[in-house]
Each structure stands twice: as C-alpha cells, then as structure tokens.
Amino acid sequence: MTTSNFEPTEPAAVSDEAARLSASARDHLWMHFTRLSSYDNSPVPTIVRGEGAYIYDVEGRRYLDGLAGLFTVQAGHGRRELAEAAAKQAGELAYFPIWSYAHPPAINLAERLADAAPGDLNRVFFTTGGGEAVETAWKLAKQFFKLTGKPLKHKVISRYVAYHGTPQGALSITGIPGAKTMFEPLVPGAHKVPNTNFYRAPIHGDDLKQFGQWAADQIETAIIMEGPESVAAVFLEPVQNSGGCFPPPPGYFQRVREICDKYDVLLVSDETICAFGRLGPMFACDKFDYVPDMIVCAKGMTSGYSPIGACIISDRLAEPYLHGTDYFPHGYTFGGHPVSAAVAMANLDLFEREGLNQRVLDNENAFRTTLEKLNDLPIVGDVRGDGYFYGIELVKDKATKETFDDDESERLLRGFLSKALFDGGLYCRADDRGDPVIQLAPPLICGQAEFDEIEQILRAVLIEGATKI
C-alpha cells in the first residue's frame, strides 16, 4: 500500500513537537522492556501514524513495519473499518463484564473462535492478552486435575529460551533466565526441555526428523523424571519465538501429542504470535497437524486495534464445570471487552473478505526465498521460520557457527544494528535472547515489493554491521 498522499508537517514545527514529546517521554513514560538510560542523550523514537505496511514518526519519516507492531498488526495499519467497528460498539455498549453475564460481542466472538479451532476446543475464556491467557491455561489445568481425582498434577513443562509472558505463572513457564532472575522466587513447578533449534542441534544435527523425535522424547524424559502423577501440562509454541523462530521438525508435534496422551498430560498450544494467519491458517496447530487440549491466543485477533486474548478449551476440560457447584474462580476486569470483541469480529471479517490466510500461504515461499538471499553474507548463519515469521541468526564465523560473545553481541545489536535498521527505514527486532538474531514478522498484506525492501535494507545494514565487530 502506498502513502503518496502523506504530507509532512513543516520541519520547524515538527522538530519543536518532536523535542517536546521526547522530553516528556523521558520524564514520564516508562517504556516496556527498555533501558531508560538509552535515551539520556538521544531522542525517543515516537510513532504518530500508520498506513498499510508503513509507520511514520513525529518528524514525518517513513518506516516499513517489519514486525507488525509486535507480531500483531496482521491487517496493516489505518484500517478504518476496524476503527469504525470500535466506535460503533462503544456507542452501544462500551463496557460490561462477563462475570456471570454476557453480551453479544463476546458471545459471537467465542462462537467464531470455537468454530475455527480444531477438534473439540469449543469453550473460550477471554483475557486481555497472551500472558494472561497462559496464566489462565495453567490455573485451569491445575484445577481440572484436582476436580478429576488427580490432585498432585500441577507441574508444567516448556522449552529452553521460550517466552510465554510476564505474569508470575507465565514467567515461570518462560525459559529465559535473564527475564526471570530478578523476580524470583516464581511459581514453582515449571521445568524446561530442549527446543527445536536445528541449526544448533546437540544431537542428530544432520537429520531433521531424527532431531525432532529426539527433542520430543526429551518431554517424555522430563515427565518421567518429575513423575507423571505430578505433571499437568506441556506449553509449546508452534514456532518458538524467542531465540529466533524455531519451526517444529516433521513429526515433532505428533510425537508430543502421543506422549501427552500416554501420561494424561495436557498439551497447550501457545499461539499468542502464531495464530490468526501469521503462519497461514487461522490456528497454527492446523498447519502442523495436531490438536491440543488448549490454545492460547491474542495479538492478531484484532490486528492490534484493541487488546484481547483468549484461552480456547476442549470439551473434556470444561466438562467438570458444567454440573453442580464447581466453577473456575478466575477472571479479568476487561476480559472479553465488548469493544475489543467487536473489533475482533470486524478483523476476522476482513481476513475472510481479503483472503489474508491464503495470501500468506501463497507468498510464504517468496518471503523465505527473498530472505535467503542474505545467506551470501558472512555474518548470516541461518535463516529460519515459517509463514510470515522469520529469524535471521548472526554469527561471527559462518564455517564454525561461532557466535558472538556477550560484549560483541551488545555492541552489534544494541550499539549498532537496532538504530541502523530503524534509520535505514525498517522497524524490526534485533535480539539476543539466545544467540543474536534479527526477527521479522511483517503485516500479512505485504508482498514481494515489501519483501525486497526488507532484504535490501537488511543487506546494507548487515554489511556495515560486520565491520563493527
């Protein structure tokens, strides 16, 4: 989508306003996951507008949104029909809780999500985001087993370096030590197993399928070690985000499903990022042919136009709550918010009208092929991912796969790449939770023109970045 009708504000006026906003942000706005000292001597990047696949800062500069905000803006920026859906619903019923009551937007959205989910996942518990949905899934798993005569089942298993959210329970499930240490002690009972990073496979590094079977079998080993009578659930992303977009090897999820069934352990598919077309299908578990017991989702449900999340739950898990006096003592003030639910419905209408799911499936190979052109650079070790969700791992030595040490990674990622990519016109993520990677997840409306622009900016910046170490 072009933005040729955009007229920047007069330079002097823009600069004055930019300076005012930057100073106010430094004094009052606590930015998330941000070193606040980073802006002691530099302006705070301030985004004021979005249109299609592009965002604009306060001084009128344009950037390709290579991360869809935060893996979220599936339908692109500036979709008036979504804003209008929010305004219409706010004019009718701006807020009412779903604590023992219901309203049409929540009812209709729950039905739509249940219809789209695989198997018997027919119950929807709304939250305001993915972390809350992960928290919901763990709490429900614990209570479900207490109600069904297995009260010791409370532990969960997740993967190394995986990110599952910031609430205390979700943070325990998260596998990033640096994100957790300062908040310990956390909720006990969360245990970690190897992820599916084939590029750095510790075993079967020459056979993807065997590596996948080995990685899945580590889940069974962990269940046995902890005691099957104590393990309630396994939390897995279809494509693991943190660490740089690790896809599942062939047969991985089928083996995990088999293991969970064997030991009566629930399989939770954390699709906070992967659902709603990011990998193509509405739910990513369909792409990899497995049916979980719960799906956690958020982000792309509204394309980011209003906050909402959900835990979609199987009939089996809901059954104990359908009779007698037992209930789930859990909820959120803004869960299933009527405005957010109405926006989600309009967003899913847009998906159907514009065929966004099929668009990703039609274009994913072109996105991969375009990014793989970067493999000719010595600093690029691996290009991996699926759909419109990719990570590019950066290495010090391509032949040996030697990574950068902490000081080099700091200088490369935060000292150069993050700013250089943004200055070059690309908003994306340079991250070192695990090995250094650049992550890309553009809006689903993107096509070859945007893929080429991403590759060209990355190429220029990475060539320069290689000289900084």
Side-chain angles (χ1 to χ4, degrees):
M1 294 189 177
T2 61
T3 53
S4 56
N5 63 338
F6 176 62
E7 297 293 337
T9 310
E10 290 298 320
V14 169
S15 296
D16 289 345
E17 177 64 358
R20 183 194 72 79
L21 287 169
S22 183
S24 183
R26 281 195 297 265
D27 291 344
H28 305 295
L29 179 63
W30 200 316
M31 290 163 280
H32 298 195
F33 285 97
T34 300
R35 294 180 183 175
L36 301 184
S37 62
S38 299
Y39 301 114
D40 285 347
N41 301 302
S42 61
V44 177
T46 303
I47 305 302
V48 298
R49 191 172 79 87
E51 184 174 336
Y54 293 89
I55 53 175
Y56 296 81
D57 71 14
V58 70
E59 295 192 12
R61 289 185 293 259
R62 188 182 85 160
Y63 309 86
L64 176 57
D65 184 356
L67 205 62
L70 195 61
F71 316 103
T72 298
V73 188
Q74 320 292 62
H77 299 275
R79 305 304 298 251
R80 290 195 175 276
E81 57 265 57
L82 302 187
E84 290 166 358
K88 181 176 184 292
Q89 181 57 47
E92 296 174 357
L93 179 67
Y95 173 73
F96 203 78
I98 53 173
W99 297 40
S100 300
Y101 296 86
H103 49 70
I107 295 169
N108 294 334
L109 180 58
E111 180 181 13
R112 192 166 190 169
L113 294 177
D115 286 346
D120 68 341
L121 277 74
N122 292 315
R123 298 278 175 165
V124 180
F125 190 101
F126 285 116
T127 67
T128 60
E132 289 178 353
V134 169
E135 200 86 356
T136 298
W138 193 4
K139 290 178 73 174
L140 183 65
K142 289 181 179 180
Q143 188 184 16
F144 168 78
F145 283 118
K146 286 179 171 59
L147 293 177
T148 55
K150 297 183 178 181
L152 297 181
K153 278 185 170 286
H154 68 282
K155 297 175 184 176
V156 294
I157 293 167
S158 58
R159 298 185 290 201
Y160 298 147
V161 198
Y163 177 81
H164 292 281
T166 56
Q168 289 288 85
L171 190 56
S172 297
I173 297 172
T174 290
I176 307 167
K180 301 170 12 164
T181 304
M182 64 289 292
F183 304 117
E184 293 174 335
L186 297 173
V187 180
H191 302 273
K192 309 297 176 287
V193 296
N195 55 46
T196 58
N197 182 359
F198 185 59
Y199 182 65
R200 297 195 176 278
I203 191 169
H204 301 302
D206 58 346
D207 188 314
L208 179 60
K209 187 171 183 179
Q210 283 191 8
F211 168 67
Q213 292 296 299
W214 172 84
D217 286 344
Q218 303 315 297
I219 294 174
E220 180 173 36
T221 298
I223 292 172
I224 293 170
M225 289 293 292
E226 291 303 317
E229 72 285 352
S230 72
V231 179
V234 173
F235 281 73
L236 303 174
E237 296 169 278
V239 172
Q240 182 174 315
N241 167 39
S242 185
C245 302
F246 304 141
Y252 175 81
F253 274 107
Q254 288 68 40
R255 176 64 180 137
V256 172
R257 179 72 270 181
E258 181 182 88
I259 291 166
C260 289
D261 290 342
K262 179 178 179 179
Y263 297 103
D264 194 15
V265 171
L266 305 180
L267 175 56
V268 182
S269 190
D270 184 348
E271 304 199 13
T272 302
I273 289 175
C274 294
F276 306 110
R278 178 54 54 194
L279 305 186
M282 198 62 74
F283 293 109
C285 55
D286 283 333
K287 189 167 193 177
F288 300 119
D289 194 27
Y290 67 97
V291 178
D293 299 289
M294 288 184 268
I295 294 174
V296 169
C297 56
K299 293 186 182 290
M301 195 189 310
T302 64
S303 286
Y305 282 69
S306 193
I308 198 168
C311 181
I312 309 176
I313 300 151
S314 71
D315 288 340
R316 174 194 169 212
L317 301 188
E319 202 281 332
Y321 300 89
L322 303 181
H323 316 282
T325 59
D326 290 321
Y327 74 106
F328 188 31
H330 174 68
Y332 298 101
T333 299
F334 295 113
H337 192 283
V339 173
S340 294
V343 172
M345 290 291 285
N347 181 55
L348 297 178
D349 287 343
L350 188 157
F351 266 66
E352 292 180 2
R353 188 168 61 251
E354 298 187 4
L356 290 186
N357 298 91
Q358 189 60 47
R359 179 179 179 82
V360 173
L361 295 172
D362 290 344
N363 286 281
E364 61 178 346
N365 288 336
F367 189 36
R368 173 189 286 273
T369 300
T370 304
L371 293 179
E372 285 179 341
K373 292 179 181 179
L374 297 168
N375 277 323
D376 67 346
L377 300 180
I379 197 173
V380 173
D382 193 31
V383 176
R384 57 180 178 254
D386 197 278
Y388 276 27
F389 186 33
Y390 272 83
I392 300 171
E393 183 168 335
L394 307 179
V395 293
K396 190 174 180 178
D397 187 308
K398 198 181 188 82
T400 65
K401 302 183 182 179
E402 180 185 359
T403 192
F404 298 97
D405 63 31
D406 290 345
D407 179 64
E408 291 168 335
S409 181
E410 175 74 18
R411 286 188 283 123
L412 178 63
L413 296 183
R414 296 175 186 83
F416 176 73
L417 283 181
S418 293
K419 185 176 187 303
L421 287 167
F422 194 64
D423 289 346
L426 177 63
Y427 165 69
C428 59
R429 170 185 273 179
D431 189 29
D432 61 352
R433 295 176 298 177
D435 295 300
V437 296
I438 293 173
Q439 282 188 288
L440 299 157
L444 310 188
I445 59 172
C446 288
Q448 191 61 54
E450 290 80 13
F451 302 159
D452 289 339
E453 185 176 353
I454 289 171
E455 190 271 338
Q456 290 160 13
I457 295 172
L458 283 170
R459 177 173 294 276
V461 172
L462 289 174
I463 288 173
E464 185 178 358
T467 69
K468 303 293 184 180
I469 300 300

